[in-house]
Amino acid sequence: MKPRIWFLLLSSFIPGVGPPVRATVPPQKDYLTSVEADKIRDAENNTNERIRLFLTFADDRLKKFQYELEHPSTNRHTDMLNSLLNAYVGCVDDAADLIQLGLEKQDNIRKGIDLMSSRTKEFLVVLEKLSAEGPEKEHYKDNLDDAIEGTRDAMNDAEKAKKKVAPPPIRRKN
């Protein structure tokens, strides 16, 4: 017999001893800090709040990207720019995924959809300006194009979701 099977058989006969249990920890998104990941976990049952958090993190990445362009670091500047754009896209994509999940669950995500619609329009203005006149474009052009495409997709998904989500209840006066 294989040692693992032997251990499992033997442990089933000894009281108080069971097979080894491994704690499963959900994988952390590589573009979120541990504090940000904790905030997302804490808002587990509030889809609107999670959407807001992801959009806040996306905004933060975009501002850091602009800062890095204006104040280039002496080492790994190009890596930093590309990493920030990838993190931005990851945050926007996760917010868009939450909208789709909220629609499937029939959650009340009107606030999240409205926020996604307005914020992605703001993000798109910044990204398109960078695409037209940003410095050092050759270093991050591919990721910038992906960011623009991802933002447009998220904005379009939010507009479609507005039509799918149930309208707010109307109070009638007696």
Side-chain angles (χ1 to χ4, degrees):
M1 258 189 216
K2 294 181 181 178
R4 180 169 165 75
I5 294 172
W6 180 252
F7 174 75
L8 290 174
L9 284 174
L10 184 60
S11 66
S12 64
F13 293 112
I14 301 173
V17 177
V21 178
R22 293 183 184 157
T24 58
V25 177
Q28 179 179 330
K29 303 280 185 178
D30 60 347
Y31 52 84
L32 295 179
T33 66
S34 60
V35 172
E36 291 169 339
D38 287 343
K39 286 181 181 181
I40 294 293
R41 257 185 247 105
D42 291 344
E44 179 178 348
N45 295 325
N46 187 341
T47 307
N48 284 317
E49 178 64 11
R50 293 179 83 193
I51 292 168
R52 185 192 69 76
L53 285 169
F54 275 118
L55 291 173
T56 300
F57 302 152
D59 184 46
D60 181 56
R61 300 314 186 271
L62 197 53
K63 286 178 181 172
K64 286 179 180 177
F65 178 83
Q66 290 172 300
Y67 182 85
E68 181 68 25
L69 280 176
E70 294 169 6
H71 306 92
S73 59
T74 55
N75 59 347
R76 300 187 45 200
H77 175 66
T78 301
D79 291 341
M80 180 68 73
L81 292 173
N82 286 304
S83 173
L84 287 167
L85 279 176
N86 286 330
Y88 162 82
V89 171
C91 291
V92 170
D93 285 347
D94 282 346
D97 290 346
L98 285 171
I99 287 176
Q100 294 306 317
L101 184 64
L103 287 174
E104 290 171 14
K105 289 182 169 180
Q106 297 181 349
D107 286 344
N108 180 1
I109 56 168
R110 275 184 227 99
K111 288 181 184 177
I113 292 170
D114 290 341
L115 186 63
M116 173 68 93
S117 182
S118 65
R119 295 306 303 268
T120 52
K121 287 175 186 170
E122 295 168 13
F123 295 155
L124 201 52
V125 168
V126 172
L127 293 170
E128 287 175 340
K129 183 177 179 185
L130 287 169
S131 179
E133 56 194 55
E136 307 174 44
K137 280 190 291 190
E138 67 278 358
H139 296 298
Y140 56 85
K141 181 167 178 16
D142 291 340
N143 285 320
L144 181 61
D145 291 343
D146 290 345
I148 291 170
E149 182 181 343
T151 304
R152 280 191 183 128
D153 290 346
M155 185 175 62
N156 292 336
D157 289 348
E159 293 302 319
K160 289 177 189 172
K162 280 184 181 181
K163 296 172 185 167
K164 290 182 184 178
V165 72
I170 299 172
R171 294 199 175 241
R172 299 179 187 195
K173 295 180 183 180
N174 293 332

